[in-house]
Amino acid sequence: MKRIILATLALSCATLSAQSLRSPDGKLSLRLDRSQGGTYSYQLSRNGKPILQNGKLGVITRSGQNLSSELSPAAPASYRSIDSTYTMPWGENKLHRDRFREMTLPLRTSDGSKLSLICRLYNEGMALRYRYEGARPDSVMIMDELTSFPFVTSAKTWSIPAHNDTYELDYRTLMLDSLRDANTPITLELKGGLWASIHEAALTDYPEMTLARAEGTRELKATYTAPWQDGVMARMGQRFQTPWRSIIIGTQAIDLVGHSAMWQHLNEPSRIADTSWIRPLRYVGVWWGMHVGVQTWTMGERHGANTANAIRHIDFAADNGIEGVLYEGWNEGWETWGGEQRLNFMRPYADFDLDSIRRHAARRGVRLMNHHETGGNVPYYESVLDSALRWSIAHDMHYLKTGYAGGYTNGEKHHGQYAVRHYRRVVETAAKYGIMVNAHEPIKDTGIRRTWPNMMTREGAKGMEWNAWSRGNSPQHHSTLVFTRLLSGPMDYTPGVFDILHSKTKTSPLYRNWNSEDEGKSRLNTTRAGQIAAWVVLYSPWQMASDLPEHYEGVPEFQFFRDYRADIDESRPLFGYPGREYGVVRRAGDRFYLGAITGDEAYTMKPLRLDFLRPHTTYEARIYIDGKDADWRTKPLPVDIRTMRVTSQTTLPALHLAASGGVAISFVPVAKE
């Protein structure tokens, strides 16, 4: 890793005053101001024009420590510049440049403690955090935070509401003046042409941050929605630092996709020395059948995770070059659901012969993926965590999906400090045993994949299962996720359902309506080509073909998933607007994949020069696009498959995508000059 560090106590007065900072390219500037009462505020500008003005700073405690006013400088501000590169073992992009300027302003509190304001400016945005060093060995009970983001102009916003227990909520498009509260990332199109997204980074031992708008203002204030049961938001020791409060800035919507890597940069470097065991993969599994009501998690005549079905999935994966298989409902204890929810993570059901399944998977070269659904019984899971992970490794399962459906049994909340500590414990313990993690009902991603790259993917929004037993995710959902939830990190959305209308599953004699939200109108509000494109667009290093195997057999367009590689090296956004359309190209080794999707209106892609391909190489482009007259409402299944030979000099002709549709293209090299 190349690393250049320049640290000084004072930079040239021509570029920085004692309490100001500029980004490496000079476009962003930050100024800190102190009032007579000892409170601090900040202003963020771009090219001299304010974006955020009079942003409040400080932390509110239950008693004793004053961390928001009566603050005085304890020492001169110190500055440093960092320009380094690092690589990730996986990611939308593996090579990263971490370049920023930082200012640390040490302040003295009224009781003699030290509170430092640490501010960073990247070319991509701003981040700030608080570092506390107490004068006495007392714990600090944090109740609130003053940090705010007061916008100078009006803005259009995309976000989900703030909630203490779930992220699986519909995205809203609201003007900033009408917004009440939001979880992060929240994305904004500012009047005047700029784009921004607010989020936090390095959330390791703190409640998650949400945002609330102050009445009559355009100011979004950091707040918490998930206190401990005694009302305390965060219990901290004599010394601590908060997560980063941050904003990324761009001149167009797709800038935010690339700039969001800033949240990963703000985390510590990897604590795993040898990451060679951390590998992306494609997978299938026993999962969708339960959600569409033709199988069950519990043992019985409709039990999905039985030996014969497990073997069938292994054979399907091996025959199609797919690396992994996941089984939900393999373990005893699902019958306790709705009560104590005490699942056994080390004992298979009697009809799931794990030893024979393992032997068959080894013969076929397929990896088994474990599943731990806690049902929210976190205390019990923590009591068996170490043993369960050792058991998993002993049974050759290095991939683990976790779940926390339902409320926590001890009354704590999914998004509070208690939960943050628990998720951190799981990923660190998993790293000790060489296990990769996919967390459902998670704490939102704040870039910890840099520190713990075995934390590979997670849910954290309305995923595919909502299409099985509700009215489904909206046609705008996928192209909104790209500019909101997916800015924070990869998502295990589990795309790839081909039975769009459930015409096969819901007419099966095995079907039962098991979910109270199922009104009998459930379906996917997209086209089949849109589902294929989602494999590229909705990035995850674990990418799933989530439908039942029989729905892929004999279907020509499944060839795209056979050709797809989950181990992406680099990505380039092509075009996009939240809820409307998005296109991206990704490279995996010597192959390239293009995916584009639409919202609730059709979209015609402009002719595209394929200059992202490697020169002097001929590729076969296999195009999977909405067929003639395809329409997500009335005719969602037709897919037009075309092939053509192309090079980096080729211009792809204009492509027409149906409403809530898409196109996916694989570029496979066939010859070199």
Side-chain angles (χ1 to χ4, degrees):
M1 179 180 75
K2 176 185 176 185
R3 185 173 179 86
I4 303 172
I5 303 177
L6 301 175
T8 61
L9 289 178
L11 297 182
S12 167
C13 293
T15 57
L16 291 173
S17 69
Q19 294 179 11
S20 66
L21 190 66
R22 287 190 180 275
S23 60
D25 64 4
K27 292 182 179 180
L28 291 178
S29 60
L30 176 73
R31 190 185 74 233
L32 295 179
D33 297 307
R34 180 177 183 269
S35 72
Q36 289 184 347
T39 62
Y40 278 80
S41 62
Y42 73 93
Q43 176 175 297
L44 177 68
S45 302
R46 187 177 187 274
N47 294 329
K49 296 181 179 180
I51 300 171
L52 302 170
Q53 198 162 39
N54 297 321
K56 297 180 179 65
L57 296 168
V59 175
I60 304 296
T61 64
R62 184 155 69 179
S63 61
Q65 304 90 351
N66 187 344
L67 308 184
S68 59
S69 62
E70 300 179 36
L71 302 172
S72 58
S78 62
Y79 299 88
R80 63 174 184 149
S81 295
I82 299 292
D83 191 350
S84 64
T85 59
Y86 67 92
T87 57
M88 291 283 291
W90 57 269
E92 288 183 89
N93 296 283
K94 288 182 179 175
L95 179 64
H96 294 275
R97 185 180 184 183
D98 186 10
R99 186 185 182 199
F100 62 87
R101 289 178 176 169
E102 181 181 275
M103 171 176 62
T104 299
L105 180 61
L107 303 173
R108 185 177 294 107
T109 70
S110 57
D111 70 347
S113 298
K114 184 177 176 181
L115 181 72
S116 295
L117 297 177
I118 305 170
C119 307
R120 284 188 186 178
L121 283 183
Y122 293 77
N123 293 340
E124 297 81 4
M126 175 204 77
L128 58 89
R129 77 188 323 178
Y130 308 97
R131 180 179 296 152
Y132 175 77
E133 300 173 47
R136 300 184 301 272
D138 297 331
S139 59
V140 179
M141 303 297 180
I142 294 174
M143 303 302 294
D144 199 3
E145 186 173 328
L146 296 182
T147 312
S148 68
F149 300 85
F151 287 91
V152 173
T153 68
S154 61
K156 188 177 182 180
T157 73
W158 292 263
S159 69
I160 57 173
H163 198 282
N164 60 20
D165 247 5
T166 187
Y167 305 116
E168 298 183 34
L169 304 167
D170 289 320
Y171 278 88
R172 315 155 300 172
T173 304
L174 296 170
M175 294 306 296
L176 178 57
D177 293 343
S178 301
L179 186 74
R180 179 179 177 182
D181 56 45
N183 213 314
T184 66
I186 175 177
T187 292
L188 305 96
E189 182 183 16
L190 304 177
K191 184 179 179 180
L194 291 181
W195 287 79
S197 187
I198 300 171
H199 192 39
E200 60 183 318
L203 175 61
T204 62
D205 185 13
Y206 218 69
E208 74 162 20
M209 177 186 76
T210 59
L211 299 169
R213 185 180 63 86
E215 190 66 31
T217 73
R218 300 191 187 105
E219 182 177 37
L220 296 177
K221 176 188 171 299
T223 187
Y224 323 116
T225 61
W228 293 86
Q229 292 183 61
D230 63 358
V232 172
M233 293 297 179
R235 287 181 160 83
M236 310 304 293
Q238 183 185 7
R239 297 170 180 263
F240 66 88
Q241 57 187 7
T242 67
W244 293 95
R245 281 60 180 101
S246 54
I247 182 171
I248 55 175
I249 307 291
T251 58
Q252 54 184 339
I254 60 172
D255 288 344
L256 301 180
V257 177
H259 292 181
S260 65
M262 186 186 87
W263 292 317
Q264 177 179 286
H265 303 336
L266 286 162
N267 285 259
E268 296 177 1
S270 176
R271 295 187 186 177
I272 302 174
D274 177 11
T275 59
S276 60
W277 54 273
I278 301 175
R279 301 172 186 169
L281 87 170
R282 295 162 299 154
Y283 71 105
V284 293
V286 178
W287 174 77
W288 184 242
M290 283 84 88
H291 282 285
V292 292
V294 296
Q295 296 170 347
T296 62
W297 284 275
T298 55
M299 197 169 73
E301 63 178 359
R302 297 167 57 242
H303 187 210
N306 62 66
T307 303
N309 201 26
I311 296 295
R312 184 169 73 100
H313 277 76
I314 291 170
D315 288 339
F316 177 81
D319 292 344
N320 290 279
I322 297 168
E323 297 90 351
V325 178
L326 169 76
Y327 305 108
E328 289 202 12
W330 69 272
N331 55 322
E332 291 183 355
W334 284 90
E335 60 278 356
T336 68
W337 197 267
E340 61 178 343
Q341 298 179 181
R342 193 180 182 94
L343 284 81
N344 192 320
F345 307 111
M346 293 171 279
R347 186 182 294 275
Y349 273 122
D351 64 347
F352 190 81
D353 186 346
L354 180 57
D355 288 339
S356 64
I357 292 167
R358 286 174 54 206
R359 288 193 296 269
H360 190 73
R363 284 194 297 269
R364 301 297 321 259
V366 173
R367 300 164 190 162
L368 297 185
M369 308 171 74
N370 203 350
H371 179 238
H372 288 176
E373 174 55 64
T374 70
N377 194 340
V378 173
Y380 169 69
Y381 188 47
E382 290 193 344
S383 74
V384 300
L385 177 63
D386 198 80
S387 298
L389 296 185
R390 280 191 281 110
W391 186 93
S392 184
I393 288 300
H395 290 79
D396 302 319
M397 291 184 281
H398 294 255
Y399 293 82
L400 173 66
K401 176 182 177 180
T402 60
Y404 299 85
Y408 284 179
T409 57
N410 60 359
E412 300 297 346
K413 299 299 182 182
H414 275 74
H415 301 164
Q417 186 180 25
Y418 172 84
V420 172
R421 288 174 172 174
H422 168 72
Y423 285 102
R424 184 72 170 208
R425 178 181 175 185
V426 171
V427 73
E428 291 185 14
T429 307
K432 181 175 70 173
Y433 289 110
I435 291 176
M436 294 157 275
V437 179
N438 167 13
H440 279 231
E441 296 82 37
I443 287 293
K444 61 189 176 186
D445 196 348
T446 61
I448 71 162
R449 59 193 180 276
R450 181 183 182 187
T451 310
W452 298 102
N454 65 314
M455 181 61 252
M456 299 187 72
T457 189
R458 67 187 79 198
E459 193 184 34
K462 292 181 78 172
M464 176 60 75
E465 67 270 21
W466 285 81
N467 298 306
W469 36 254
S470 76
R471 295 193 178 185
N473 296 325
S474 74
Q476 301 94 330
H477 189 59
H478 291 175
S479 52
T480 301
L481 284 176
V482 171
F483 295 100
T484 50
R485 160 64 185 84
L486 283 159
L487 293 180
S488 70
M491 179 180 176
D492 187 40
Y493 185 87
T494 60
V497 169
F498 280 12
D499 186 21
I500 300 290
L501 300 175
H502 305 321
S503 57
K504 297 178 180 178
T505 52
K506 294 297 176 73
T507 57
S508 167
L510 298 175
Y511 169 71
R512 305 287 187 277
N513 186 331
W514 66 277
N515 193 301
S516 61
E517 293 201 40
D518 190 346
E519 301 172 352
K521 301 176 182 179
S522 304
R523 57 157 296 176
L524 277 70
N525 298 316
T526 181
T527 67
R528 183 177 286 182
Q531 281 293 293
I532 299 169
W535 279 323
V536 183
V537 169
L538 302 179
Y539 171 72
S540 176
W542 297 11
Q543 193 58 282
M544 187 181 195
S546 56
D547 210 338
L548 303 179
E550 57 265 33
H551 296 166
Y552 297 129
E553 291 170 346
V555 181
E557 49 264 44
F558 190 63
Q559 183 62 42
F560 182 84
F561 196 72
R562 296 188 187 100
D563 291 337
Y564 185 69
R565 300 292 178 266
D567 192 3
I568 301 299
D569 292 294
E570 57 182 331
S571 303
R572 182 200 298 182
L574 299 173
F575 57 84
Y577 187 92
R580 203 168 67 190
E581 71 268 343
Y582 180 69
V584 64
V585 63
R586 306 193 193 279
R587 180 179 67 84
D590 61 356
R591 297 186 179 193
F592 292 79
Y593 306 98
L594 186 151
I597 57 173
T598 61
D600 60 354
E601 295 183 4
Y603 179 76
T604 299
M605 288 176 53
K606 295 178 181 179
L608 178 66
R609 179 76 176 271
L610 303 181
D611 55 4
F612 53 81
L613 298 175
R614 288 176 171 171
H616 314 299
T617 304
T618 300
Y619 296 82
E620 182 176 82
R622 301 168 185 167
I623 304 171
Y624 305 79
I625 191 169
D626 291 307
K628 183 180 180 181
D629 300 325
D631 182 275
W632 75 268
R633 296 177 182 84
T634 60
K635 200 175 179 181
L637 300 183
V639 177
D640 185 11
I641 304 176
R642 316 167 192 169
T643 61
M644 57 187 296
R645 294 293 175 99
V646 300
T647 70
S648 61
Q649 301 301 309
T650 302
T651 296
L652 194 69
L655 297 174
H656 180 75
L657 313 183
S660 197
V663 61
I665 308 175
S666 62
F667 299 91
V668 180
V670 292
K672 291 186 178 182
E673 294 180 11

